[in-house]
Amino acid sequence: MTKPRGLLLVKSGGDGAVPEWQAGFREFAPELLVRGWNDTSVDPGDVNYVLVWEPEPGRIAGYRNLRVICSSAAGVEHIVRDPTLPPHLPILRMVSQETSQTLGEYVCLAALSILRDFPRMIAAQAERRWDPYEPPHTALDKRVGIMGIGTIGQVAARMLGGLGFKLSGWARTRKSIDGVTMFSGDDELESFLSGCDILVNLLPDTPETRGILDVRRLAQLPHGAGVVNAGRGTAIILPDLVAALDSGQIGAAVLDVFEQEPLPAESPIWRHPNVTVTAHLAGYASRRARAAAVVAALEALERGETVRHLYDRVRGY
Ligand code: NDP
């Protein structure tokens, strides 16, 4: 097997994280040199790979021997916004088993929290009030719909299925997934939404998905449906969601991602009684797991194989 060799420059987690990245890569690609983004001893001509989070626009174009750009997270918006980015370079999204596992766990946590009204339990404890309410439903009565059922969504679906939820999925292209009632394309979005007791958004941020959950689409969900957003904040028009929560059209929401992060302190969402806010922490992977995922993808690229997590500039994800 051809192990990646050459020099990888890393900008993720600051200078303090460089030793951990080096240890991770040493384990999986011992011949790959790993240096920090601010290491002034690095000759730009020696850089073959970059692993980055929010690189300064213009900097990547200066590495003339660069072969692959790796994102240190699942999204690549922070890379592709650079107008000087060389168009021929492959861009690798970060998707590791750990990311899918942790995001799947988060989606289960959110779905169960909505099902059992966990915020009510927390509120009762805060007031030292004994509140032994009975749940009106079990997971067996509820359908969770995953909007953007790709790599992570399919792991989440398996985990939700294990809890007993009925499952639907919506994707851009038609596909069949065991145990999941599938929908695809704009024409089938309304039918998909109308069956979701709990909607989980896992769509990437693209021109087509931006603002997709607006007043019209939220109204197509069953009255009182739950909404979970662990994809990207840009998918939901937040004032439309607040209005839908206020009217009862949406019964509860669990939100991990926002158009503006950190969520501004003055946002009404923080204090909404039916909303749980988390700080973009749904999917997580250790540096070691991410190094392993990058090495596996670089090896596959070297062998000329199709790599699942390459960013497609035409599709936009
Ligand atoms: P994938 O690319 O594997 O899946 C994306 C899914 O969205 C695919 O099913 C795709 O359809 C579908 N899709 C894309 N555009 C459209 C469209 N216009 N209409 C309908 N469906 C569409 O991505 P991952 O599963 O790896 O990641 C999903 C998202 O999770 C990431 O983009 C990121 O936003 C988010 N994420 C969030 C994290 C967090 O901490 N909150 C951490 C990691 C990821 P098709 O299958 O047909 O291509």
Side-chain angles (χ1 to χ4, degrees):
M1 189 180 298
T2 329
K3 289 274 172 202
R5 52 183 73 218
L7 195 147
L8 177 142
L9 208 56
V10 62
K11 179 185 188 292
S12 178
D15 290 342
V18 175
E20 204 182 327
W21 284 117
Q22 288 171 326
F25 280 101
R26 202 175 305 125
E27 188 177 337
F28 301 104
E31 292 177 48
L32 188 67
L33 279 174
V34 177
R35 295 285 180 265
W37 196 245
N38 300 319
D39 186 336
T40 49
S41 69
V42 172
D43 178 340
D46 290 341
V47 177
N48 308 115
Y49 308 100
V50 291
L51 171 60
V52 287
W53 175 252
E54 296 188 340
E56 310 85 285
R59 175 118 175 223
I60 288 178
Y63 299 124
R64 61 183 185 281
N65 292 317
L66 196 60
R67 288 188 231 142
V68 184
I69 302 170
C70 311
S71 173
S72 78
V76 296
E77 306 90 336
H78 61 105
I79 296 172
V80 299
R81 65 182 178 190
D82 179 353
T84 70
L85 211 63
H88 64 281
L89 283 176
I91 302 174
L92 193 63
R93 302 176 47 235
M94 178 66 70
V95 181
S96 69
Q97 268 184 356
E98 260 184 48
T99 319
S100 302
Q101 175 68 24
T102 50
L103 225 154
E105 290 167 1
Y106 179 94
V107 168
C108 291
L109 179 74
L112 289 175
S113 170
I114 291 171
L115 179 74
R116 299 295 297 268
D117 198 357
F118 197 60
R120 176 169 169 178
M121 301 181 204
I122 300 284
Q125 183 181 352
E127 294 164 18
R128 294 187 240 177
R129 184 167 41 79
W130 197 248
D131 179 21
Y133 64 97
E134 288 175 12
H137 302 283
T138 74
L140 300 173
D141 315 317
K142 292 288 170 185
R143 178 171 293 276
V144 178
I146 300 181
M147 197 174 187
I149 187 158
T151 309
I152 295 174
Q154 289 178 46
V155 172
R158 272 199 298 279
M159 294 166 83
L160 288 162
L163 292 170
F165 285 106
K166 291 179 271 189
L167 297 164
S168 296
W170 186 69
R172 196 175 52 86
T173 54
R174 185 159 301 284
K175 62 180 88 181
S176 112
I177 302 171
D178 253 8
V180 181
T181 306
M182 279 301 299
F183 299 83
S184 61
D186 289 349
D187 293 350
E188 295 181 8
L189 182 52
E190 183 170 358
S191 312
F192 164 73
L193 291 172
S194 67
C196 297
D197 299 306
I198 299 174
L199 176 71
V200 175
N201 175 52
L202 284 174
L203 286 167
D205 176 45
T206 71
E208 288 75 38
T209 63
R210 240 159 262 157
I212 192 165
L213 289 172
D214 58 5
V215 63
R216 181 170 76 100
R217 293 301 187 186
L218 291 170
Q220 289 169 353
L221 288 162
H223 187 78
V227 170
V228 179
N229 191 11
R232 281 293 177 260
T234 48
I236 296 186
I237 306 283
L238 219 46
D240 289 4
L241 178 66
V242 172
L245 282 157
D246 289 342
S247 73
Q249 167 57 17
I250 300 301
V254 178
L255 307 175
D256 184 55
V257 286
F258 301 88
E259 190 159 9
Q260 192 182 345
E261 294 180 1
L263 181 65
E266 59 278 12
S267 170
I269 278 288
W270 281 111
R271 297 172 66 82
H272 202 289
N274 299 342
V275 176
T276 304
V277 170
T278 58
H280 200 147
L281 47 66
Y284 170 79
S286 63
R287 296 197 173 99
R288 180 179 179 274
R290 285 184 281 167
V294 167
V295 170
L298 294 181
E299 284 172 358
L301 276 176
E302 288 284 329
R303 291 193 298 267
E305 290 171 9
T306 311
V307 175
R308 279 167 71 195
H309 307 312
L310 273 191
Y311 171 70
D312 181 325
R313 287 173 162 87
V314 177
R315 280 188 332 187
Y317 66 97

